[in-house]
Amino acid sequence: MKLPMLRPEGNVPESARLGGEENNVPVMLSRLDETIGFFEKNLSNALGWARKNSIFQYPFVTACCGMEYMSAMAGRYDIARFGAEFPRFSPRQADLLMIVGTINVKQSPVLKRVYDQMCEPKWVMAFGVCASSGGFYDNYATLQGADRIIPVDVYVPGCPPRPEQVLDGLKILQDKIQTQRHRASTMERAPEMGK
Amino acid sequence: MSQALIELVRGKFPDATGSSHRGDEVVTVPRERVVEVIGFLRNDPAAEMKLLRQIAAVDVLTFRSETTGGGSIASIEAPAYALQKKPSVEPRYQVAYNLYSITRRQSLRVRVELRSDDMKVPTITGLFRTADWWERYIYDMFGVHFDGHPNLQRLMLYPEFVGYPLRKDYPVRKRQLLVPELDFPDLVRGPGPGPGGAGVPMSQTHVGRANVDPNTYD
């Protein structure tokens, strides 16, 4: 068996560090790798915990689902209990893009541009059936679901969804944020803007 | 009472024909006279139609046709109407001006019939300012050209849109996307309307691709 070469950043392959799917084969770890992995995992958990409990959202409200969005925001259902009470009306300051309502074809370049302007890490929630699949607007003018142009993390069904469903979708998104991998810094370049 | 209105129009314009159905009075006039007739109805003291409630357009292509039995053609299963196989009814289009008199509480519809090879109507923006957007709307959805309109552009759809969506031969499921569609080869949409539905993987649909034939869809 050929041992992997020791590298200063650790021997563990990317996929084996945190929850990788190819983690079935045990990798020989040095003490240094174990230490780095331990701290990376704890750091990722801490970052996930911080990020899931302070979701700044950008509400892209286009249709009647906005009323239910307001209801979910307001005192009775109070989305602030889950740390998501802060709508930022600039996509550059937001973590979560909430697509609230029907997206028609004429509007889709705007939505794409708003999504491109958001900083990483970012998540997207499709709020209601129109944003998820086009709903009953199966016609020439409507985009058949926002996931045809941007990736969507959580779909909340309903026409419009009850605020409980919105909160449930938010909890699912929080679980996703907690379990995904976070890094303190990244050397990856930002994707190309525009286009 | 509104029969009197039809008689009033016919007394002034003998080539107009009137009809009445359950209190819904219609005067059908030749295209060249529509400005005269509507101006007459607006200014005549017996009519006083100061309010233009709506301008509507109708495509009677599939009206009482054997394909749909006169029912809805908007079902997904209905094939696209092939104008080559079955020629259109002529005159195919109608433009209807719904006028109302607030002082006299009477209404009248002025209708113009159009052949599909010559879809031009003189504008009435000189009589009613509100006709501006109505005529742009009808141009947007049906492609009727209003001669003399100050700004005849699409009102609701985007300028890249090809065709006129409320015409009956527009394919029901045709889409014209502005942003290229993401491709998820492993994503299978559930049953339901729309492209990519009914278990068809999204990579096998051709929505938003460059090689879309605009006359066929799915």
Side-chain angles (χ1 to χ4, degrees), chain B residues 39-170:
Chain B
F40 167 73
L41 284 168
R42 191 186 73 164
N43 297 326
D44 189 74
E48 271 196 343
M49 302 252 170
K50 301 287 188 192
L51 178 65
L52 175 68
R53 289 204 288 204
Q54 188 193 20
I55 304 176
V58 188
D59 183 359
V60 295
L61 176 61
T62 56
F63 190 59
R64 291 196 204 103
S65 71
E66 63 269 27
T67 308
T68 61
S72 168
I73 200 174
S75 73
I76 293 173
E77 291 77 20
Y81 192 92
L83 274 176
Q84 290 79 20
K85 289 182 183 171
K86 196 159 54 176
S88 62
V89 183
E90 293 296 346
R92 180 174 158 186
Y93 295 95
Q94 299 170 356
V95 177
Y97 301 82
N98 293 307
L99 297 162
Y100 185 71
S101 169
I102 296 170
T103 53
R104 297 186 173 270
R105 295 182 185 175
Q106 56 194 6
S107 65
L108 183 68
R109 181 178 308 141
V110 179
R111 178 188 288 164
V112 183
E113 293 184 335
L114 293 177
R115 297 184 62 84
S116 57
D117 52 357
D118 187 19
M119 297 175 59
K120 286 190 171 64
V121 187
T123 180
I124 60 162
T125 46
L127 295 171
F128 291 99
R129 286 288 299 276
T130 185
D132 187 339
W133 275 27
W134 283 118
E135 291 177 352
R136 282 179 65 186
Y137 178 52
I138 289 172
Y139 168 71
D140 196 356
M141 296 291 158
F142 288 92
V144 178
H145 286 264
F146 289 90
D147 284 337
H149 190 282
N151 183 23
L152 193 63
Q153 297 176 17
R154 286 194 181 273
L155 178 64
M156 297 187 180
L157 291 171
Y158 34 99
E160 295 89 351
F161 197 89
V162 178
Y164 302 101
L166 290 194
R167 288 187 181 181
K168 291 293 184 188
D169 54 349
Y170 188 86

Side-chain angles (χ1 to χ4, degrees), chain A residues 61-107:
Chain A
V61 179
T62 57
C64 43
C65 278
M67 305 308 289
E68 290 299 318
Y69 170 75
M70 293 170 208
S71 177
M73 288 293 292
R76 179 179 282 266
Y77 292 97
D78 198 10
I79 207 169
R81 291 178 292 159
F82 305 98
E85 76 270 32
F86 215 177
R88 306 302 296 179
F89 298 108
S90 162
R92 298 179 194 279
Q93 301 169 349
D95 305 312
L96 171 64
L97 174 62
M98 291 178 100
I99 307 168
V100 185
T102 320
I103 305 295
N104 54 36
V105 177
K106 195 176 181 178
Q107 213 170 15

Side-chain angles (χ1 to χ4, degrees), chain A residues 105-110 112 132-133 135-152 155, chain B residues 76 141 155-158 161 165-166 170 173-182 184 187 189 193-196 202:
Chain A
V105 177
K106 195 176 181 178
Q107 213 170 15
S108 56
V110 181
K112 174 78 172 154
S132 301
S133 70
F136 55 73
Y137 296 108
D138 185 16
N139 58 25
Y140 56 92
T142 307
L143 190 68
Q144 302 297 309
D147 56 358
R148 294 195 179 257
I149 55 169
I150 61 175
V152 174
Y155 300 86
Chain B
I76 293 173
M141 296 291 158
L155 178 64
M156 297 187 180
L157 291 171
Y158 34 99
F161 197 89
L166 290 194
Y170 188 86
R173 303 184 68 191
K174 181 175 170 183
R175 302 288 185 278
Q176 302 183 29
L177 299 189
L178 290 179
V179 178
E181 182 174 319
L182 291 180
F184 299 108
L187 179 62
R189 288 176 176 258
M202 196 187 258

